[in-house]
Amino acid sequence: PPMTDDPSTSPHGAAPGLFASLGATMVRWRWAVVLVWIAAAAIIPRALPSLASAAKSENTSFLPADTPVIKAGNLAAPFQHQNSAATLLLAGRPPAQLRPADAAAVAAAERAVKSVPGVLDVRDRGVSGDGEVEQALVELRGVGARAGGGTAVFDAMRAAVRRTARPAGLQIHFAGELAQSVDAQAAQKHTQNLTQLLSILFIIVLLLIVFRAVLAPLVTLLPAGLSLAIAGPLIGEAAKAGLEVSSLTQIILIVIVLGAGTDYGLFLIFRVRENLAHEIPPREAVISAVSRVGETITFSALTVIVALVSVILARFGLYRGLGPGLAIGIAVTLLAGLTLLPALLAILGRAVMWPSQPRPGHEYQGAWGEVAARVIARPARTLALGLALFVALALIVFAYHPSGFGSQTAPAGSDSAAGQTLLDHFPVGVRNPTNIVLRVPYSAWTQADKIATATGELQRAPAFDSVTGALNPGGHAIPLQLLARLYRQLGPPQRLPRTESAALMTRIPARVYDAYVASAQFVSADGHTIQFYTALRAGDPSSTAALNAIPAARRQVSRVAASIGATANGIAGEAAAAYDVSTISTGDLARIVPLVLIVIAVLLTLLLRSLVAPLYLIPSVGLSCLSALGL
């Protein structure tokens, strides 16, 4: 019989209502719907910013302003420009020591880097104790200081270094977390592309097994693929409006959109196949399928969307951006599942199921039907076994303790990988320091004995293994009296040039002059801020032990600060950041998970029109979550 425009009068009983009307509209305007989606997928990525351009890569950039590690970073503001980040420039010729001619080449390279747009400053940080490597701190401005926007400025800096003349055998490379992040972008893009490809291949193979049809997997994936192309730029545009987005969003978005799109497609296509098996014409089959499962997949998506949006209440910006960003992806996927997929199914008709056409009257039961029959036959035993397994897994969660993030590694063969090799010539307290910052109400240059007092107390503190400061910059000691005399004679080291001729003009030995210039990273020009680079006795800053040592280290630093009359103090660095991220994110989860369960309960009550069913479903959802974490 001919298809009717009004599904409520359909001879095959397509249910009336909102979703039946939606299905009928999509079927009627099927070609227009497909063209609109194709046009949107072509135009939106060109008109809006990419997700990659908006993503942040550092965990600390998502922390609230009142976090201790952020406060410590603010205390260290005299040592860096506002709204900046730093990378390291390394020069050396291991295993040989640096030569006098290398100093001029290094200085030329530093000047070349400083002239690059986006570079705020280049400050020398001295020579390694073995004399084989020299280090300089490079500060970058604004967006150029972030891995997402730093590729161009790093390319320009590296080109500037290559243009400078250097003696044979002298290596010059960039190192540090930021340099590694920029070099990892290309590798991450490869990983992202690989994730997308493997996800698609896995879904195609799975759908081929499920449907035993050629076109069904492609029809299921096409709406998800177009949703992915559209959702990324939409999230990027939301980031311009203030949404915090991490690089993690890029990877998870691929999996969640393809997974959800496939899920919604399976619901709809299976219903269409059942309708075709009952000899319902293809277009009527699509309308009936939308009317039957449209509400289900809509509430399924709304549950995920509302749960993700609830995360906006988190203090940790990574969660706040990850939740709403992924919610945008789910919303676009739902829209595609309710509009584009029915239109495609209406256009292709029975060809979607070729060569495995549904047989009239065929009801497929399969292995899961047998499982269901066994479960229903003995529900008490199944419930007891299930609870025993899931509760046991869930209890493991209470034995979990947060761990460190692990140091980011540079891609093999990259410039930053070579730079990290040179950086290994410096002690851990210099190459990846835990920074201690003290604010004092006097000038430490004129009361250098307070620097000596703080240095001695920190060296005796149980939390710290080594302490580098103004009295031993770059591994070269400066006696207290000499430091004070150099300040009186030369002024603040921040104002001094670092050249061999400058050292000769001052009639001060070059090594002493270089050490004094390097002390600028430990005492501010006005003397009111003192900084130390330390190594934690607990181990590498990326380790769990170092993370757990931070509370005790902060208490010890507070005692040192009190002994010299400091008005403020703080600890910065990887371990301190990891501890604060762990503390805040764990607190967020403890607060948000119950809220999400309440939201899901409300949505289930509305969907099922039942007050009892959610009492079963919500505990099962919560227990499943805890069991997964325990596993």
Side-chain angles (χ1 to χ4, degrees):
M3 184 189 74
T4 59
D5 290 333
D6 181 3
S8 63
T9 61
S10 166
H12 298 286
L18 173 64
F19 291 99
S21 299
L22 176 64
T25 302
M26 294 305 107
V27 168
R28 182 173 185 177
W29 301 100
R30 52 195 177 278
W31 286 106
V33 171
V34 172
L35 291 175
V36 167
W37 273 95
I38 293 175
I43 295 171
I44 289 178
R46 290 173 172 81
L48 300 181
S50 68
L51 177 56
S53 67
K56 300 178 183 178
S57 59
E58 303 102 330
N59 279 303
T60 51
S61 64
F62 298 102
L63 289 172
D66 61 350
T67 308
V69 72
I70 299 298
K71 289 182 176 179
N74 294 335
L75 283 178
F79 302 104
Q80 61 191 32
H81 291 79
Q82 190 175 11
N83 190 29
S84 69
T87 190
L88 298 174
L89 181 67
L90 281 300
R93 52 170 66 251
Q97 290 194 334
L98 290 167
R99 303 168 185 173
D102 295 333
V106 174
E110 291 177 356
R111 288 194 299 272
V113 170
K114 192 171 183 179
S115 67
V116 172
V119 176
L120 293 170
D121 197 11
V122 179
R123 298 195 298 276
D124 189 80
R125 292 178 66 172
V127 179
S128 61
D130 58 13
E132 296 178 5
V133 180
E134 187 168 346
Q135 179 185 165
L137 185 74
V138 181
E139 282 192 80
L140 306 177
R141 177 190 295 115
V143 177
R146 304 300 173 203
T151 302
V153 73
F154 266 87
D155 288 344
M157 290 192 300
R158 285 164 174 159
V161 169
R162 286 193 297 270
R163 288 194 297 267
T164 59
R166 73 182 77 168
L170 179 66
Q171 304 177 42
I172 302 180
H173 302 286
F174 289 91
E177 182 179 356
L178 185 57
Q180 293 179 86
S181 295
V182 170
D183 284 344
Q185 279 189 312
Q188 187 177 28
K189 181 176 286 187
H190 172 73
T191 301
Q192 183 176 337
N193 293 337
L194 185 62
T195 300
Q196 186 168 334
L197 176 62
L198 292 178
S199 298
I200 291 172
L201 288 176
F202 174 78
I203 292 172
I204 288 175
V205 171
L206 186 63
L207 294 179
L208 283 172
I209 295 173
V210 170
F211 288 118
R212 296 179 295 281
V214 175
L215 288 179
L218 301 179
V219 171
T220 305
L221 272 175
L222 181 59
L226 294 182
S227 298
L228 189 60
I230 293 171
L234 290 178
I235 299 171
E237 182 68 17
K240 288 177 60 178
L243 181 69
E244 296 181 271
V245 179
S246 77
S247 55
L248 187 63
T249 306
Q250 298 173 264
I251 299 295
I252 298 182
L253 183 68
I254 295 171
V255 178
I256 198 169
V257 167
L258 292 178
T262 303
D263 192 21
Y264 305 154
L266 283 171
F267 269 105
L268 190 61
I269 294 177
F270 263 109
R271 291 303 186 190
V272 170
R273 187 170 74 170
E274 288 178 0
N275 290 341
L276 293 175
H278 287 89
E279 299 183 300
I280 299 176
R283 293 176 192 172
E284 289 280 347
V286 173
I287 297 173
S288 175
V290 174
S291 70
R292 293 177 64 189
V293 303
E295 185 180 30
T296 303
I297 65 174
T298 297
F299 271 86
S300 174
L302 285 178
T303 300
V304 179
I305 290 170
V306 175
L308 288 170
V309 171
S310 300
V311 182
I312 202 169
L313 299 175
R315 293 187 68 214
F316 189 28
L318 179 66
Y319 292 161
R320 285 201 308 272
L322 188 63
L326 296 177
I328 291 173
I330 293 292
V332 175
T333 305
L334 173 63
L335 184 61
L338 292 175
T339 59
L340 178 58
L341 183 57
L344 290 171
L345 291 173
I347 290 171
L348 295 172
R350 289 183 176 274
V352 173
M353 302 301 170
W354 183 86
S356 176
Q357 292 294 334
R359 298 192 305 274
H362 175 68
E363 294 288 346
Y364 177 76
Q365 179 135 345
W368 292 113
E370 296 180 9
V371 170
R374 292 177 181 273
V375 167
I376 292 171
R378 297 183 177 180
R381 184 183 69 173
T382 305
L383 181 61
L385 291 175
L387 283 174
L389 173 63
F390 284 101
V391 169
L393 289 173
L395 290 175
I396 298 174
V397 173
F398 296 101
Y400 169 75
H401 299 285
S403 61
F405 295 127
S407 297
Q408 178 169 286
T409 56
S414 65
D415 176 74
S416 59
Q420 289 300 122
T421 301
L422 293 179
L423 191 59
D424 288 341
H425 287 258
F426 292 88
V428 67
V430 175
R431 68 175 182 264
N432 187 9
T434 297
N435 302 55
I436 295 172
V437 189
L438 307 171
R439 179 74 55 78
V440 294
Y442 48 80
S443 174
W445 292 116
T446 59
Q447 298 189 40
D449 59 305
K450 299 296 179 65
I451 300 177
T453 299
T455 302
E457 292 197 17
L458 287 172
Q459 289 172 337
R460 291 188 293 273
F464 306 108
D465 195 32
S466 67
V467 179
T468 302
L471 298 178
N472 59 341
H476 305 292
I478 302 179
L480 181 62
Q481 295 78 8
L482 178 59
L483 181 68
R485 182 168 64 83
L486 289 170
Y487 176 76
R488 290 194 301 271
Q489 180 179 347
L490 303 175
Q494 287 84 354
R495 302 173 186 170
L496 298 176
R498 193 207 165 275
T499 61
E500 190 174 353
S501 59
L504 292 173
M505 288 176 63
T506 60
R507 297 182 180 180
I508 295 173
R511 194 156 195 168
V512 174
Y513 180 87
D514 290 345
Y516 180 64
V517 171
S519 70
Q521 62 194 299
F522 300 110
V523 182
S524 61
D526 62 7
H528 290 296
T529 307
I530 307 170
Q531 181 171 241
F532 296 91
Y533 296 155
T534 69
L536 291 169
R537 197 178 300 276
D540 188 274
S542 66
S543 67
T544 302
L547 178 153
N548 293 329
I550 289 300
R554 283 175 171 159
R555 290 192 295 270
Q556 293 166 27
V557 168
S558 295
R559 287 195 289 268
V560 173
S563 71
I564 65 169
T567 57
N569 67 88
I571 298 180
E574 185 176 358
Y579 177 81
D580 288 345
V581 167
S582 174
T583 301
I584 289 177
S585 62
T586 301
D588 281 340
L589 290 176
R591 185 174 65 257
I592 290 171
V593 168
L595 174 63
V596 170
L597 290 175
I598 292 172
V599 170
I600 293 174
V602 172
L603 287 173
L604 287 173
T605 301
L606 294 174
L607 172 65
L608 301 174
R609 286 89 169 171
S610 169
L611 294 175
V612 178
L615 299 179
Y616 291 91
L617 293 170
I618 292 303
S620 75
V621 170
L623 187 58
S624 297
C625 178
L626 291 174
S627 301
L629 290 175
L631 184 60

